[in-house]
Amino acid sequence: AEHDRMHVWWQRPMRTLEALWLSLEEHTFELYQLCRKEPASVPRLVMKGFLLELQSRQSQRQEWDERRADKIYKRRIKPPYHPVAKPLFDATDSKRIGKDLGRVIQDITEIRQRQLKRVSHTGANSTSGKSSGRDDEIKPWTKKSQKRQKRA
């Protein structure tokens, strides 16, 4: 596109950004596969953070699609100067989830719900010294706490 030819100086940083983005998509896919195949190995807080990130990413993608479909956007920017559409969401690539994250979000939500049910049924609130099962429980790590653990 004309826009791409006009901004040659921007092409190299954009290729770097695209490479990082593709790497992020691949790592996201790997974590998704781990959540599906071995949900017990993924800590609840990681699962919660992953789900929140997927929801945020889906929302941002929808906003971008709505912006590009807006009549005013199309009218103000002439077609030769529209942003270049890159095929980053190739459905045939086995290392990426794809553009629509709805199914993935639903899968992770269901896995997380099963994980939370399992925690509530196993009696994680016992006094065995394990986590209370609360998602928001994060114990801060400090040098003092590490020394206390060594002494105990």
Side-chain angles (χ1 to χ4, degrees):
E2 184 68 24
H3 183 269
D4 200 29
R5 284 192 295 270
M6 286 178 59
H7 300 289
V8 176
W9 56 272
W10 192 242
Q11 292 174 5
R12 192 165 140 200
M14 288 307 295
R15 280 194 302 272
T16 303
L17 180 62
E18 286 175 9
L20 292 170
W21 189 23
L22 291 174
S23 176
L24 175 67
E25 289 292 318
E26 289 171 3
H27 288 302
T28 301
F29 181 76
E30 290 171 9
L31 182 55
Y32 174 57
Q33 291 299 327
L34 181 65
C35 289
R36 286 180 59 218
K37 293 177 182 174
E38 301 175 39
S41 68
V42 181
R44 286 186 313 278
L45 286 173
V46 171
M47 187 85 68
K48 181 181 180 181
F50 185 49
L51 181 59
L52 291 172
E53 178 54 35
L54 288 172
Q55 290 168 339
S56 172
R57 202 180 294 183
Q58 178 75 352
S59 173
Q60 290 170 354
R61 288 177 183 180
Q62 287 172 346
E63 287 176 21
W64 178 249
D65 287 344
E66 289 169 7
R67 183 186 317 170
R68 289 191 62 173
D70 186 22
K71 292 175 187 175
I72 294 173
Y73 177 85
K74 287 181 177 181
R75 215 176 26 210
R76 285 189 158 182
I77 300 175
K78 295 176 182 167
Y81 302 102
H82 281 185
V84 179
K86 300 285 184 176
L88 293 173
F89 299 108
D90 187 4
T92 61
D93 191 341
S94 63
K95 292 185 178 180
R96 287 186 236 151
I97 293 174
K99 186 175 181 181
D100 183 20
L101 299 174
R103 178 186 53 82
V104 176
I105 290 170
Q106 183 179 358
D107 286 350
I108 297 298
T109 301
E110 290 170 2
I111 292 167
R112 187 165 179 273
Q113 287 172 346
R114 285 193 302 268
Q115 196 180 43
L116 291 173
K117 282 181 187 176
R118 192 170 37 247
V119 167
S120 66
H121 288 138
T122 59
N125 292 331
S126 67
T127 57
S128 62
K130 293 188 177 183
S131 171
S132 67
R134 289 181 28 213
D135 270 346
D136 58 352
E137 181 178 304
I138 299 175
K139 295 183 179 178
W141 181 87
T142 62
K143 287 186 178 183
K144 286 182 180 181
S145 66
Q146 187 180 24
K147 286 179 185 177
R148 273 187 249 128
Q149 286 178 350
K150 284 182 181 179
R151 279 187 253 144

